[in-house]
Amino acid sequence: MSPRVILIIAVSVLAAALVGAPWWAVLALAAVIWIGALALAGLRYSAGADRPDAIDPFALREPWRFYVRDAKRAERDLAEILQTVSDGPILDRL
């Protein structure tokens, strides 16, 4: 959970407590804000807002450079294999 969401929940709970709301209403308010933040984060992720950009392996120091390069190569090889395998149990396992 991001610090922004924690701050919003804290301020909202404090405001509700200062107004004199019952403890269960304060707890329900915090839960609603938390669920709303999770739903908003899910929508942003599905829209592509929080997805990481491509990693340039040569922007990293060793040994990470080679790990990233090998992982990107393995990802590319797997994508090629998935395109060539016909439907069936082998494709399901891959």
Side-chain angles (χ1 to χ4, degrees):
M1 188 180 314
S2 72
R4 184 181 330 150
V5 173
I6 293 171
L7 181 65
I8 291 171
I9 290 173
V11 169
S12 301
V13 167
L14 182 63
L18 289 176
V19 171
W23 67 268
W24 54 268
V26 173
L27 186 62
L29 176 66
V32 166
I33 293 172
W34 180 62
I35 291 171
L38 287 178
L40 183 62
L43 290 174
R44 286 189 56 189
Y45 183 79
S46 65
D50 293 334
R51 293 190 184 165
D53 295 333
I55 299 173
D56 180 21
F58 295 102
L60 303 172
R61 293 187 302 167
E62 299 198 23
W64 300 108
R65 172 181 307 161
F66 298 108
Y67 295 149
V68 171
R69 183 196 64 193
D70 293 343
K72 289 179 79 154
R73 183 180 298 149
E75 181 182 27
R76 187 175 52 248
D77 291 344
L78 180 62
E80 290 176 11
I81 291 170
L82 288 174
Q83 289 177 353
T84 60
V85 174
S86 60
D87 290 339
I90 294 176
L91 181 63
D92 292 341
R93 282 192 60 99
L94 288 174

